[in-house]
Amino acid sequence: MARLGESKAVLTALSLAALLFVGLHVSPRHPINARVRSFRLQKHLLLPARAHAVPPAAALPDSAVPTATSQPSGLCSNASTYLANTEFWGGVVSWGDQNIVGSAEECCRSCAEYQPTIEMQAGRPCTTFIYNPETKSCWLKNTREEHLSKPGRGPNVPWTSGVNTGPYRACEDCTIPSQFYGCIGKATCNTTRHCGSPAIDGYANVVPSCLDNSTEAQVYLSLLREGVRLEAHAEEGADFDGLGVRWGIGHKKANWSECEAACIAHKPTPAGGPFSKLPCNVWTWCGRERCWEPDAHSHSFGDCWLKFTEQPESPEVNMRIPMSKPYMRRHARDIESGVPWVSGVLLAPGKTLTNGTLGTKGFLVRHRQALLAIGKTSSGPARPGPPLLTSP
């Protein structure tokens, strides 16, 4: 997409101001009204990288990084490739319930054509495939050489398996960029949030006292006591991360506006969960019968999550279309109709909303696309700007 000229940038900023003004005065009764905006990810927000934020670029052993791009000839058409009543062990690179095919031969081709990605087994290739003729599920795995001679076998093993001897496709997103902002993996983040990116390691290392004492929390608590009106922003088709100050499952709201209102009205309390003393500055609302989320819970229509995050003007994004091709392949069924959530933030006066950064739950989008989304460029200081708007 061609870069916007200065004149277009000015018009974009003016359009944003107009939309924000109009958005605060429209009726909230319609489930999706003018205050819900869709953000394009091509807008550059120039953000600096922190020194020593990630390990060196050569993070994978040479043996783990495939380099060949051509596909094997005749492998999948050779009957000797297939071993009935056999299951190879290994790390999953593509889940079978997301990879339904019509035959073992198609499963073999799926393995041979698999595009490695850093988000699955650190970019390792598909070396074995396991196919179930009854369920049609095709599991792609990376099996170590020492395990190839020790598969599960027997008349009760329903799987047909085979070995992909290569060559393998190259992993296009395995090189860690020298500069980035946000998260580029489950445990690789570069953030200026004082208490870090909370979803690292499944929120296992979150320190509630750090958040309680954070500058962000103190500012919001002060604004709440003073009755200052916060600026509300909402986005359709996005899922923002944060620590739950009000559990969303069972906390039902009829529409996103009611969820936003619940966030505005939320009163912190010392009695409750580990984050109950925090104010609400982020919310997410489930707008479909079932809302998929990369966690262990089941989310249904009306679930309203009230959350707290540092730097809500730059929210950590779990999901927002477009995600990367590897992510979309992995979760094709989960978000085939788009991201089912509506999310929003409450900003202190004077703060400007940006596109945000990728959180670890959105790991990972292909680096090139992810860095466009969060505004990384090869050089230049920070220069936050308004997100690029498009009509709903």
Side-chain angles (χ1 to χ4, degrees), residues 54-61 64-66 92-93 114-125 169-177 180 183-189 324-327 329-330 358 360 362-368 370:
V54 297
L60 300 175
V65 183
V92 175
V93 297
Y114 172 73
Q115 177 69 63
T117 173
I118 194 173
E119 69 177 64
M120 299 300 293
Q121 299 298 322
R124 291 172 175 81
R169 292 187 179 223
C171 177
E172 297 178 347
D173 64 356
C174 284
T175 301
I176 296 177
F180 69 92
C183 297
I184 61 168
K186 277 185 174 179
T188 306
C189 294
S324 69
K325 290 181 180 179
Y327 190 98
R329 283 197 300 267
R330 184 180 176 187
L358 290 168
T360 61
F363 92 101
L364 190 60
V365 176
R366 178 179 54 204
H367 291 309
R368 180 163 54 86

Side-chain angles (χ1 to χ4, degrees), residues 11-27 30-41 230-240 256-257 260 281 283 312-313 315 317 319-322 339-347 351-356 385-392:
L11 289 174
T12 299
L14 292 174
S15 298
L16 173 64
L19 282 171
L20 291 179
F21 176 80
V22 172
L24 292 174
H25 294 81
V26 295
S27 170
H30 194 283
I32 302 297
N33 65 35
R35 273 200 296 133
V36 177
R37 293 172 293 280
S38 298
F39 293 89
R40 294 191 185 275
L41 300 184
L230 303 176
E231 296 182 6
H233 302 264
E235 180 181 350
E236 181 183 11
D239 177 27
F240 294 168
W256 67 267
S257 296
E260 179 184 81
N281 58 12
W283 56 268
E313 68 275 10
V317 180
M319 290 184 287
R320 174 196 275 151
I321 299 298
V339 176
W341 297 91
V342 179
S343 295
V345 297
L346 304 179
L347 299 186
K351 293 290 185 178
T352 301
L353 180 65
T354 72
N355 278 346
L388 185 64
L389 303 182
T390 183
S391 299

Side-chain angles (χ1 to χ4, degrees), residues 109-131:
R109 286 200 297 270
S110 180
C111 182
E113 296 170 0
Y114 172 73
Q115 177 69 63
T117 173
I118 194 173
E119 69 177 64
M120 299 300 293
Q121 299 298 322
R124 291 172 175 81
C126 175
T127 59
T128 55
F129 60 90
I130 297 87
Y131 178 69

